[in-house]
Amino acid sequence: MFEEASEVFDNMFKSSFPLTFIVFIPAVLILVSPLPAEAAHEFTVYRMQQYDLQGQPYGTRNAILNTEARTVEAEVLSRRCVVMRLADFSYDKYQKALRQSAGAVVIILPKNMSAMPQDIVQQFMELEPEMLATETVVPVYFALEDDELLSIYSQTLTSSSSQGSLSAAEVLLHTATANGFQMVTSGAQSKAVSDWVITSLEGRLAGVGGEDLPTIVVVAHYDSFGVAPWLSYGADSNGSGVSMLLELARLFSKLYTYKRTHAAYNLLFFVSGGGKFNYQGTKRWLEDNLDHTDSSLLQDNVAFVLCLDTLGSGDSIYLHVSKPPKEGTPQYALLKELETVVASQHPEARFSMVHKKINLADDMLAWEHERFGIRRLPAFTLSHLPSHRSARRSSIMDVRSVSPSSHHGAGEPPAGPHVDVSKLSRNTKVVAEALARVIYNLTEKGAPGDLQIFTEQMVQEEHLSAVVDWLTAQPRAAQLVDKDSSFVSTLEYHLGRYLKDVKRHYVKADKRDPEFVFYDQLKQTMNAYRVKPAIFDLLLAVCIAAYLGMMYLAIQNFAVLYSVVRRITQPKTKVH
Amino acid sequence: MTLFHFGNCFALAYFPYFITYKCSGLSEYNAFWRCVQAGATYLFVQLCKMLFLATFFPTWEGGAGVYDFVGEFMKATVDLADLLGLHLVMSRNAGKGEYKIMVAAMGWATAELVMSRFLPLWVGARGIEFDWKYIQMSFDSNISLVHYIAMAAVVWMFTRYDLPKSFRLPVTVLLTLCVYKAFLMELFIHVFMLGSWTVLLVKAVLTGVISLCTLFLFVTLVHSN
């Protein structure tokens, strides 16, 4: 047959040249074409943080992954992708995977994170900063679970946990029936993003009466932080702070429109970016305003700077200071007014002052007011958290709401970070009342403690709730909020409705000695391919060889079948 | 997984053709070029069918789960062109009945193998992802070989002038079965929700039955003279 075939091909070549092209070019093209991907399952994965802060690297360093999946129970983990569920996650397992030089780690998070039991949420929240602090070379990814992913996980679990405990025959059968999974990411290696701009916004309400009015600055940082940037929604920290700032802007702009209530204080509102990365936005803003400009509100007469950070739940309000305010200063007045307002109008809340000196030797500053304190501006931070080290400030568990099923008791609030709009609105009322009393000097004028300046309708809970919903609808990590992003422009528009002179302020890292470096490839598409081990191919080849052998024999002996049929049909013809 | 698996599937699909070609004695008759011609006729017939279907049949507008019985039936009727094609091939080849049938069937089936199975195997079986459907595709090509041999035999018998009257009916029945086999398979899958291996089994059984009946009729016809 091959001689005939070659004859045919010879004729083909000699007779018609174009025909060869028609035959060969497609063949060549097909041979060299790349393989299209067809995965068992394709899903989005979010990478763990990767950034350098002040020269110190944090988080995972790698993004590419092309390894077989295993769970932690398997014996051999090196160069494999370890898949874990949040419910089974523990720091020991994570360390074990890293120690055995796993190729990657993928952590599967439940779709509704707020429905997880509280102890797991707490444990994970505490582990997040530890995971980031150890610089990991392997890529760590988070994926939101769906049915396909769960089935992949359970199949991997059964095959991982049964390794090494079966006889040879069982292992052989196992390889024939089991599915292995190869996890492949589609992106490139991560690299530093150059010229990333952190945007901050400022706006003001000018006071009435003269040139040299005292200024009150209200600051809140809008970015969020978590172990994975795309999953950090930062509802309480610091979505609550931003929504409170916007509400205060609205209230005071209302007051400042009428001559009778127009006070003799300038109000400067600053929504800063890069807050979770050691308050980069605030730092550069201060430098620009104090060092590089001739005249700025910050240079003249600053009464105090009030930073809002995490005020969305809980019944305590703490005023964090780096120096206890002296009597007779505006800061002292605010402190006293806050105490008065809480004591007389909101007795269910507890207010206290926390004094913490600025420690310049620390890697990261504690609260935002410390930036102002370093530049000798009187500042404090209001928060419902007693300590800046709380894990609630930088967790991906900080989401808008927690489902009722995870409450401990019937009426007890959930322990995970979240925003309770009623508490947020109460805190907003407290701050608004205290600020008003300071600005209008009400205590000196003899106003009683329980005089409410802002009635129920003024501080609108629905408005606060809507703003918090909008803030938590997208992840607001500093690496994700570009200066052209819709989030910044919406915020700018929102501020512009109430404040005058709304300006943007940009921060770019210094070229030679960058304070912060961000990396890309934070969100990837991962494919899970179903694979079979090599033994399976050999097994299949043996079976196919046996089948073909049988085929060969059958066809060779076709004549036997033919004669049988002939013998069966012959009596019929004889009858004819 | 990759090239080795492709090799497995390719061997499974192609070797029976090779063995059939060798053992049926076609090689003694220099039938290679004629088989290639039969293959070219297959391509031409498929092209005409596609043009016809595209021009005259509207796209199915109904829901995803509903099976358009009438539409698919009409589309299957177009497969009558296959029979015409086979007849054309066989009429151009002079020789004994068996020779004609084998040449036509081999060429036709090989063309179908190359056109409709080789490319999916090359593209799919070489990938990282493993799927049983490639092995099933190769088995399916084996079944197609038997099916086309039976179909060619039935067409040949149908066009014989010396076909006894009593044979007309069974031959016609077999002919329609051959044409509508694909349609019947779709019907079975839809009604009984069969798994992929069961489908293969049913197909094999159906083809086996058809080819056995054809064999009986053929032997009776050839040896009754």
Side-chain angles (χ1 to χ4, degrees):
Chain A
M1 184 186 99
F2 290 118
E3 308 83 45
E4 298 162 17
S6 57
E7 257 182 61
V8 166
F9 281 125
D10 279 339
N11 287 335
M12 204 160 64
F13 294 156
K14 284 176 202 155
S15 58
S16 48
F17 191 56
L19 196 61
T20 61
F21 272 116
I22 295 173
V23 168
F24 275 117
I25 297 298
V28 169
L29 285 174
I30 289 169
L31 272 169
V32 304
S33 66
L35 289 170
E38 220 195 80
H41 188 50
E42 208 178 75
F43 52 98
T44 324
V45 288
Y46 309 102
R47 201 158 69 98
M48 191 161 103
Q49 290 267 8
Q50 184 183 3
Y51 61 95
D52 296 340
L53 193 58
Q54 279 135 216
Q56 179 87 359
Y58 292 90
T60 172
R61 294 281 112 185
N62 256 319
I64 310 186
L65 143 61
N66 185 344
T67 53
E68 218 182 307
R70 288 268 189 279
T71 57
V72 181
E73 291 81 9
E75 291 189 352
V76 179
L77 285 181
S78 71
R79 284 181 295 114
R80 303 277 199 280
C81 170
V82 181
V83 182
M84 287 191 242
R85 287 188 69 193
L86 182 66
D88 312 321
F89 182 78
S90 79
Y91 199 52
D92 309 319
K93 291 188 189 167
Y94 180 68
Q95 288 286 63
K96 177 183 171 197
L98 291 183
R99 258 200 319 269
Q100 293 196 17
S101 50
V105 179
V106 173
I107 300 177
I108 302 180
L109 301 169
K111 237 180 318 217
N112 190 4
M113 272 199 281
S114 46
M116 296 288 293
Q118 280 312 303
D119 47 348
I120 294 188
V121 170
Q122 275 302 116
Q123 185 195 42
F124 189 72
M125 259 173 33
E126 263 132 48
L127 288 175
E128 279 186 59
E130 288 195 40
M131 283 169 69
L132 283 178
T134 55
E135 188 193 341
T136 36
V137 178
V138 305
V140 180
Y141 281 100
F142 294 86
L144 293 174
E145 78 180 15
D146 52 13
D147 298 325
E148 294 251 16
L149 203 53
L150 268 183
S151 92
I152 291 177
Y153 176 76
S154 48
Q155 286 179 40
T156 319
L157 185 61
T158 41
S159 71
S160 297
S161 44
S162 59
Q163 273 176 356
S165 60
L166 304 169
S167 63
E170 280 176 338
V171 166
L172 215 58
L173 189 64
H174 194 68
T175 53
T177 49
N179 275 331
F181 288 96
Q182 184 91 352
M183 310 294 232
V184 184
T185 51
S186 49
Q189 181 60 280
S190 69
K191 50 184 206 311
V193 175
S194 59
D195 293 339
W196 183 259
V197 179
I198 295 183
T199 318
S200 314
L201 294 163
E202 67 170 86
R204 71 184 61 188
L205 286 170
V208 72
E211 288 284 322
D212 202 12
L213 292 173
T215 308
I216 293 179
V217 191
V218 181
V219 182
H221 59 91
Y222 66 76
D223 59 315
S224 58
F225 191 81
V227 73
W230 274 92
L231 291 173
S232 40
Y233 293 98
D236 202 7
S237 177
N238 195 15
S240 58
V242 176
S243 50
M244 189 184 282
L245 185 149
L246 289 174
E247 189 66 8
L248 290 173
R250 187 181 71 86
L251 289 172
F252 281 99
S253 82
K254 246 192 163 83
L255 285 180
Y256 272 44
T257 30
Y258 303 110
K259 277 190 86 112
R260 280 181 51 204
T261 46
H262 200 163
Y265 275 85
N266 290 324
L267 291 176
L268 188 55
F269 293 88
F270 184 58
V271 184
S272 67
K276 301 291 185 188
F277 291 94
N278 219 7
Y279 310 108
Q280 297 293 332
T282 314
K283 175 172 173 226
R284 190 64 71 80
W285 186 63
L286 282 172
E287 279 170 20
D288 285 348
N289 270 307
L290 296 178
D291 301 334
H292 304 304
T293 336
D294 287 331
S295 79
S296 148
L297 279 183
L298 285 176
Q299 285 175 345
D300 307 324
N301 184 357
V302 175
F304 51 81
V305 181
L306 179 66
C307 304
L308 305 169
D309 190 339
T310 322
L311 284 155
S313 63
D315 276 328
S316 353
I317 303 177
Y318 296 99
L319 189 71
H320 298 267
V321 296
S322 37
K323 259 196 328 229
K326 289 211 232 351
E327 279 214 35
T329 53
Q331 309 97 286
Y332 189 75
L334 183 70
L335 175 62
K336 281 292 152 212
E337 296 296 358
L338 281 169
E339 278 178 5
T340 319
V341 169
V342 170
S344 38
Q345 293 179 28
H346 300 278
E348 75 278 5
R350 293 181 302 280
F351 175 78
S352 58
M353 182 182 81
V354 176
H355 174 214
K356 181 198 164 298
K357 287 216 196 48
I358 303 178
N359 185 356
L360 289 170
D362 268 343
D363 292 332
M364 307 263 288
L365 291 179
W367 297 103
E368 198 154 9
H369 73 266
E370 296 193 355
R371 278 273 168 229
F372 293 93
I374 290 174
R375 304 302 305 243
R376 306 254 183 272
L377 290 171
F380 20 62
T381 305
L382 264 179
S383 175
H384 77 85
L385 297 171
S387 157
H388 66 97
R389 294 195 203 284
S390 168
R392 287 157 168 258
R393 293 180 73 212
S394 51
S395 168
I396 58 173
M397 295 293 171
D398 193 0
V399 289
R400 170 70 177 93
S401 61
V402 186
S403 68
S405 61
S406 61
H407 286 190
H408 279 147
E412 279 179 41
H418 66 292
V419 172
D420 183 346
V421 184
S422 58
K423 304 275 167 59
L424 178 62
S425 94
R426 179 208 60 211
N427 291 341
T428 313
K429 283 196 198 118
V430 166
V431 178
E433 295 277 344
L435 271 178
R437 292 174 78 90
V438 169
I439 291 175
Y440 298 110
N441 228 345
L442 291 178
T443 309
E444 273 195 25
K445 293 180 186 161
D450 52 1
L451 174 68
Q452 273 193 348
I453 315 292
F454 300 101
T455 51
E456 286 301 314
Q457 287 82 34
M458 289 217 82
V459 176
Q460 291 170 344
E461 234 178 83
E462 299 89 20
H463 197 238
L464 275 173
S465 175
V467 173
V468 174
D469 284 339
W470 165 64
L471 285 171
T472 51
Q474 70 242 293
R476 297 188 321 278
Q479 297 103 317
L480 300 177
V481 181
D482 196 11
K483 65 178 161 103
D484 302 318
S485 74
S486 65
F487 174 74
V488 174
S489 25
T490 316
L491 203 55
E492 199 180 3
Y493 169 76
H494 208 84
L495 282 173
R497 285 183 62 191
Y498 309 124
L499 308 174
K500 307 252 188 326
D501 289 340
V502 175
K503 282 202 290 263
R504 288 185 181 213
H505 182 259
Y506 294 122
V507 179
K508 251 199 234 184
D510 187 42
K511 287 282 184 238
R512 258 165 292 144
D513 187 14
E515 301 93 344
F516 61 90
V517 180
F518 295 141
Y519 292 80
D520 58 1
Q521 307 288 354
L522 293 167
K523 180 159 101 154
Q524 300 258 19
T525 316
M526 192 180 280
N527 293 305
Y529 294 108
R530 220 176 294 126
V531 289
K532 296 266 185 197
I535 289 190
F536 177 78
D537 269 339
L538 289 175
L539 213 67
L540 202 62
V542 166
C543 294
I544 289 177
Y547 170 80
L548 290 176
M550 281 198 310
M551 273 276 111
Y552 183 72
L553 287 174
I555 293 177
Q556 283 281 50
N557 300 326
F558 181 70
V560 174
L561 177 66
Y562 196 79
S563 55
V564 163
V565 172
R566 195 165 163 189
R567 255 187 297 122
I568 295 176
T569 56
Q570 254 184 357
K572 285 190 189 156
T573 53
K574 277 216 178 121
V575 166
H576 261 263
Chain B
M1 186 42 47
T2 55
L3 216 50
F4 196 84
H5 188 58
F6 169 73
N8 277 345
C9 295
F10 186 71
L12 183 58
Y14 178 66
F15 266 39
Y17 287 71
F18 184 65
I19 295 171
T20 315
Y21 185 83
K22 273 288 190 202
C23 301
S24 62
L26 279 181
S27 43
E28 300 163 21
Y29 291 95
N30 287 342
F32 186 75
W33 185 234
R34 295 202 178 274
C35 285
V36 173
Q37 280 179 335
T41 319
Y42 169 84
L43 289 175
F44 178 70
V45 166
Q46 297 303 317
L47 195 65
C48 292
K49 272 192 349 192
M50 277 197 277
L51 285 173
F52 188 76
L53 280 174
T55 317
F56 293 109
F57 284 80
T59 46
W60 172 233
E61 302 272 328
V66 178
Y67 189 69
D68 178 22
F69 291 107
V70 177
E72 293 293 326
F73 186 74
M74 301 298 280
K75 285 192 196 168
T77 313
V78 181
D79 287 335
L80 278 170
D82 276 340
L83 299 178
L84 286 174
L86 277 172
H87 175 62
L88 192 70
V89 171
M90 285 196 289
S91 60
R92 282 173 46 180
N93 285 326
K96 270 182 68 182
E98 290 161 0
Y99 170 76
K100 283 207 247 197
I101 293 171
M102 285 311 292
V103 162
M106 280 302 303
W108 202 267
T110 315
E112 201 216 9
L113 171 72
V114 169
M115 284 298 129
S116 60
R117 308 231 195 279
F118 184 72
L119 205 58
L121 278 182
W122 177 253
V123 167
R126 268 197 324 149
I128 306 179
E129 169 96 356
F130 173 79
D131 207 339
W132 280 109
K133 70 179 184 214
Y134 300 112
I135 299 283
Q136 288 171 353
M137 219 187 272
S138 313
F139 269 121
D140 196 42
S141 73
N142 291 357
I143 296 172
S144 300
L145 178 63
V146 178
H147 177 249
Y148 280 123
I149 295 176
M151 196 147 96
V154 171
V155 168
W156 179 79
M157 284 196 284
F158 192 76
T159 55
R160 296 272 294 177
Y161 59 86
D162 59 349
L163 191 71
K165 289 290 181 249
S166 59
F167 280 16
R168 277 267 154 202
L169 184 61
V171 169
T172 322
V173 165
L174 279 176
L175 209 61
T176 47
L177 257 185
C178 280
V179 170
Y180 289 107
K181 187 192 94 160
F183 173 67
L184 278 176
M185 287 309 306
E186 291 283 329
L187 204 68
F188 279 156
I189 293 173
H190 229 78
V191 169
F192 296 117
M193 300 293 166
L194 300 174
S196 47
W197 288 105
T198 329
V199 163
L200 215 56
L201 198 66
V202 170
K203 224 180 214 181
V205 166
L206 199 62
T207 312
V209 163
I210 293 175
S211 43
L212 219 58
C213 298
T214 316
L215 186 63
F216 267 99
L217 289 173
F218 181 78
V219 168
T220 320
L221 185 63
V222 166
H223 296 282
S224 64
N225 301 333

